[in-house]
Amino acid sequence: MVSFQPSLFEEKFFQNRRIYFKRDDLLDVDFSGNKARKFYAFLVRDFPHIRRVVSSGSNQSNAMYSLSVLAKKRGWEFIYVCDHIPSFLKQNPIGNYAKALENGMRIFESSSREVALEAFLDSHTLHVKEGGRQKEAEEGVALLAQELVCDVAREHVENPYLFLPSGTGTTALFLQKHLPFKVYTCATVGDSAYLRRQWESIEANVHVYPTILETHRKYCYGKLYRELFEVWKTVQTETGVTFDLVYDPLGWKVLIEHLGMLTGTPIYLHQGGLLGNTSMLQRYARKAIML
Ligand SMILES: *Cc1c(COP(=O)(O)O)cnc(C)c1O
């Protein structure tokens, strides 16, 4: 059976406050971050009939890359459907897209992803929902919760709470379900109502839903904002840790806005995604808003 060593739990200081980082970005060289936790069940369970995995999503998604690693480890074929691949990217593959192709991913373009994907479904095929929003994610995320419980006890963290930015919200949901302390999150895809609907689609018990923190202004998912880039840069300079450029800049922005109001000791979950930074940095550079 494959299993992870617990990821690093480290004490840091940010804006003169004690804060802890749970470093899931360092979980493993190839299979790391929250996608490794969410796909853990697909890595360790027996799938005697499965020969391939299919999924869909964006052309630079972290989930896509992690599925390519999973498929490679398990000897499965990997088919991925996305709506559009810019010709610039096809000619100059970088980031998650390039690495997933190196791992043998077969990628298809279709404006109706789910329909295109259905053509590949049969009894030998495992279908992983976009971003890994499914029940199976609970197994690996519950292990992460257990690690956190041990980390907090070992380091004597007083009155801890966890913060992490959400996409589908699957990681935050299952963490709150398995943690004895509070989990705060924010929506990066859509608004808070959308995030709640994502939770409702996989978990009926509303009492285990995390607490959503709101931002003052609205940000569109995947868009570039000078303001968020500056936050990302500040965190990097102050803590010496590089975070992802899709979810974490907004995550940190929201956490900073609320830090003064929340009681207890914050733990920020580093959910990986650093491979995607090459393409995000390139986009920021092209827009000339990099500092
Ligand atoms: C996928 C991802 C998220 C969002 O995870 P959800 O479980 O969908 O909420 C956050 N951060 C990083 C770095 C990710 O790769």
Side-chain angles (χ1 to χ4, degrees), residues 86-145:
S87 43
F88 180 79
L89 181 60
K90 283 183 194 162
Q91 283 145 25
N92 311 276
I94 54 159
N96 286 314
Y97 175 81
K99 294 288 179 193
L101 285 175
E102 279 172 28
N103 285 336
M105 167 180 71
R106 289 175 62 204
I107 192 161
F108 296 88
E109 281 176 274
S110 168
S111 50
S112 45
R113 292 195 299 226
E114 291 301 315
V115 179
L117 201 145
E118 269 175 33
F120 295 104
L121 300 182
D122 61 23
S123 57
H124 301 295
T125 302
L126 177 73
H127 179 194
V128 174
K129 301 266 181 62
E130 178 167 359
R133 177 174 55 82
Q134 54 202 88
K135 260 283 177 214
E136 287 86 344
E138 184 164 355
E139 188 175 336
V141 176
L143 285 176
L144 167 58

Side-chain angles (χ1 to χ4, degrees), residues 251-272:
W252 276 101
K253 169 91 187 138
V254 172
L255 180 63
I256 291 165
E257 270 179 29
H258 289 83
L259 263 180
M261 270 103 72
L262 301 171
T263 51
T265 313
I267 304 168
Y268 193 104
L269 176 62
H270 195 317
Q271 302 182 87

